[in-house]
Amino acid sequence: MKIREINAMRGPNYWSVRRHKLIVMVLDLEKMEEYPTNKISGFSERLKAMFPSMYSHRCSEGCEGGFFMRVDEGTWMGHVIEHIALEIQTLAGMDTGFGRTRGYGEVGVYNVVFSYMEESVGRYAAEAAVNICNALIAAEDYNLEDDIQRMRELRERDRLGPSTGSIVEEAESRGIPWIRLNKYSLCQLGYGANQKRIQATVTSETSSIGVELACDKEDTKYLLEQAEVEVPRGDIIRREGSLEDACRYVGYPLVIKPIDGNHGRGITVDINNYDDALEAFRQAKNSSRSGAIIVEKHIVGQDYRLLVINNQLVAAAVRTPAHVIGDGESSVERLIDITNKDPRRGYGHEKVLTQITVNDLTKTIIKDAGYTLDSVLPKGEKLILKDTANLSTGGTAEDVTDIVHPANVSMAERISKIIDLDICGIDIMTTDISKPLSETGGAVLEVNAGPGFRMHLAPTSGLPRNVAAPVIDKLFPKQGDTGRIPIVAITGTNGKTTTSRLMAHIAKMKGYRVGYTTSDGVYIQNRLLMTGDCTGPASTEFVLKDPTVNFAVLECARGGLLRAGLGFKKCDVAVVTNVAADHLGLKGIHTVEQLARVKGVVPETVLPDGYAILNADDDLVYDMRRSVNCNVALFSMDEDNPRIKALQRLNGITAVYENGFVTICRGEWKMRIMEAENIPLTYGGKAKFMIQNVLAAVLAAHVQGIRIEDMKAALETFIPSATQTPGRLNLFKFNKFSILLDYAHNPAGMRALQKFTNELECTVKVGIIAGIGDRRVEDNNEMGAIAAEMFDEIIIRQDKRLRGKTEEELIKMLDDGIKMKDPNKKTTIIPSEKEAIKYAVKNAVEGSLIILCSDVIPDALELVKEFKEKEAKGELNYAD
């Protein structure tokens, strides 16, 4: 067995699965399909022995043990791999449950799809599942624990932390989209110009001055002292020679810590003599970046954390460092092992509590207490194992929000304003948080920017607090604000790029700052910022991340959908132009019906109050209305189309081509926009397929609330040219001949181009065509046959986009198609596109039309423009 490819789906996909992130693995079983599980001796027994927990997998049987029933009966090995990939993720602490295995259209090749929580873990699980299955087939030993631990490590490396994750989850629950901006905790909430950012619990609205102050313990303490907030007496020193005077000034017991420390590093508490103070000073010095050390009074009591968000106390917890309690029988090491067996403790942040690890610091603390790991701790005695109460080092937390004294609440909220932090954690030492600090002798020890939320989200005891909610309330204060921008997603086989460009132009004329993706690049306000085929999720995210964009138009092609999903979860409007045979035989899509299912994913993502705009003249597109959960609007080139009439009777919205006009209808009431012949894009109404694109675009604009006057202005200024519609009906008129450059790259596109060119006056039509490597033989044959109908003379070129086939193979496919239609058609083979164009120009007869069907638009445009410039200068020599 081998894996052909593994892709991650980050959003909705052609399996019509919602709210899952999926790994799609194309698995080639070679000849394994001849040997289902029931024909491999001992396979079922070995599988059950390795994964007894799989008994809970119901599979299609719908009962416990259902999967093993399928294995005993005999099932695809791809099906087994799907279940193993899910189970090993669950064993690693990531409970995932969705999976499917389906044929790929080739014998012995399968699409294996399963969900993941972290992409790196999902990819690892895919490879590990295949390795495990191969070992089971061969009856070889396999160390599953290595895989489990590796997946845990990958999850901890790549996952969002508990604090960031809680904010993201709260945002998602309110319909606020999000994007992770780096491999750490920097995330964007909302899209484009409406976005907010978080990094852990620091937000885009957090004061940089506040963060600076919180990081400078000296300044923080000074400001709090000036505001009459109880803080420990202390001093800040930098040299060992100043330590003795500082100890005398503060008085024992002491706490010594670095001024710029974090996560409890370099802190020593309850120091009662100078020798211990000296050792503590040196440890603090080693953990300090600035070299400044705080020497302050050790306050007796418990460690409390007060969390203030938007200047309001939202949670409080008492924290206890990692510890064990003696039973009079077990060693310290044994007590730690017993504590770590608590099911609430896990690796890293995977569970409520973290396992206690024994490191050098732990051994030192145990030694200072007079014990070793082998010592038996007296019954009831508590042994502290860490020098801080952080949950990440095995500490525990108890929620005490409801008992915090009002004076302490007021003090905490006041501190957040003094330090100027929208989110801050205030560390307090006191014997009783239900009493004012002035009564208990307690004090504020520290103010933290970016405090962790874990202790409040899932305390060891007490009530969990949704502390992420007030963060979202602050970032998005308006009721129902989701931080979204209007998104118009456009898909289809032909016309989607022109429709996308036209829609973007209309929105720009309306005054929006538009970002849009196309098959030739990504544009922000008509500035080309990325080149190439940019119709996948990465290009979509590029637009949605841009903080200047407040309107997005996104071309969505099948390749990106199948490879990695959409790049967004919901859109406001989805347009499907048409569905025709194109790219069949690739990535498991072998029929036009399957292709329609892929493209149908886009309208399925429309928000309930949004619109799916469908082509009523296309049966497959029209049928997409059955699977959407939104409003439907239709467009048609025939106002008498029964589907249009039916929707109009329901008072629906439609766009039609009637009596020469592009018209929008609300119910049966017509709103004429323009005569098609006056729309430059349609070439005087001759390019019927362009009228269809116009109908789709104006309908999308209309449901977005754009006025007809604005649409009309946009249509009048959207000129078919190398600038606004590169490679789409770009007509260049020379003194002796004309060149028409178009991206027709499939039979349906060629037929549409044929209808248009039949309307153009010329003496001779010369076509320059090329085969495309990722099309089927019959598709390239058909392209050749259509060319034989269209052109008086054909030039076959083939120097780009081979995509796995040879130049000779592609040329032969086209030539075979030409000969099937017209064996006597004049055909010249010139592999180089540049040389083919030069040949056509050199041999052009008076009044001829050279039609260049190019799939590498920039190169062809550059050459044609060069000819145009030479002619303008009188330098174009047809004999060259």
Side-chain angles (χ1 to χ4, degrees), residues 539-818:
S539 304
T540 289
E541 284 197 352
F542 183 90
V543 168
L544 298 179
K545 288 176 184 177
D546 193 293
T548 69
V549 169
N550 62 12
F551 195 106
V553 180
L554 308 172
E555 181 180 344
C556 304
R558 55 162 318 269
L561 270 167
L562 294 174
R563 184 177 62 255
L566 282 168
F568 62 87
K569 286 189 176 180
K570 295 290 182 182
C571 63
D572 301 274
V573 178
V575 176
V576 187
T577 58
N578 47 65
V579 176
D582 195 20
H583 296 286
L584 299 183
L586 296 175
K587 293 188 179 292
I589 305 302
H590 298 272
T591 67
V592 180
E593 289 73 21
Q594 288 176 324
L595 182 60
R597 286 186 61 199
V598 175
K599 295 186 181 294
V601 168
V602 179
E604 288 175 14
T605 66
V606 177
L607 291 160
D609 59 348
Y611 277 85
I613 295 177
L614 306 178
N615 184 351
D617 299 332
D618 187 308
D619 293 343
L620 291 173
V621 176
Y622 181 67
D623 281 346
M624 292 177 188
R625 76 195 189 284
R626 303 180 188 278
S627 59
V628 302
N629 182 32
C630 63
N631 301 302
V632 173
L634 301 175
F635 64 93
S636 173
M637 293 292 288
D638 178 10
E639 69 168 327
D640 293 323
N641 184 321
R643 296 164 178 172
I644 292 290
K645 292 295 186 183
L647 185 57
Q648 288 176 345
R649 285 193 293 272
L650 295 173
N651 205 37
I653 302 174
T654 58
V656 294
Y657 178 52
E658 53 86 26
N659 294 315
F661 283 88
V662 168
T663 301
I664 291 175
C665 303
R666 278 191 168 269
E668 296 181 346
W669 293 100
K670 295 180 179 179
M671 296 176 283
R672 286 179 171 172
I673 299 175
M674 286 183 71
E675 282 191 275
E677 66 179 26
N678 293 330
I679 299 174
L681 186 60
T682 71
Y683 281 91
K686 294 184 179 70
K688 302 299 183 185
F689 61 93
M690 284 298 187
I691 298 176
Q692 188 179 76
N693 295 336
V694 170
L695 291 172
V698 297
L699 193 50
H702 179 69
V703 298
Q704 276 298 105
I706 296 176
R707 299 181 310 163
I708 287 178
E709 292 80 1
D710 294 319
M711 290 186 221
K712 185 174 181 180
L715 291 173
E716 289 174 337
T717 56
F718 192 71
I719 312 299
S721 63
T723 301
Q724 289 192 308
T725 59
R728 273 70 181 178
L729 293 192
N730 299 154
L731 184 61
F732 297 86
K733 293 186 177 181
F734 291 78
N735 294 332
K736 186 177 177 182
F737 58 89
S738 297
I739 295 179
L740 179 67
L741 176 61
D742 192 75
Y743 184 62
H745 61 291
N746 55 49
M750 286 287 284
R751 288 292 184 194
L753 182 62
Q754 181 182 22
K755 290 179 182 178
F756 170 63
T757 55
N758 285 344
E759 299 283 322
L760 300 180
E761 293 184 6
C762 60
T763 55
V764 175
K765 292 178 188 172
V766 178
I768 302 176
I769 64 172
I772 301 178
D774 59 2
R775 302 300 198 280
R776 299 171 302 176
V777 173
E778 56 265 39
D779 296 328
N780 280 311
N781 287 163
E782 187 176 357
M783 292 281 282
I786 296 170
E789 293 179 12
M790 289 177 65
F791 307 126
D792 300 298
E793 179 183 345
I794 300 172
I795 302 171
I796 302 177
R797 58 92 184 165
Q798 198 65 59
D799 59 343
K800 296 182 177 70
R801 303 291 178 100
L802 299 179
R803 294 174 178 173
K805 293 186 174 65
T806 67
E807 202 174 272
E808 292 75 17
E809 287 173 330
L810 290 171
I811 290 172
K812 185 176 186 304
M813 291 178 202
L814 289 173
D815 197 39
D816 287 347
I818 293 167

Side-chain angles (χ1 to χ4, degrees), residues 473-494:
D473 290 340
K474 182 183 190 306
L475 294 176
F476 300 93
K478 292 183 180 179
Q479 185 71 27
D481 183 5
T482 61
R484 295 174 52 83
I485 60 174
I487 296 176
V488 177
I490 298 171
T491 192
T493 299
N494 294 307

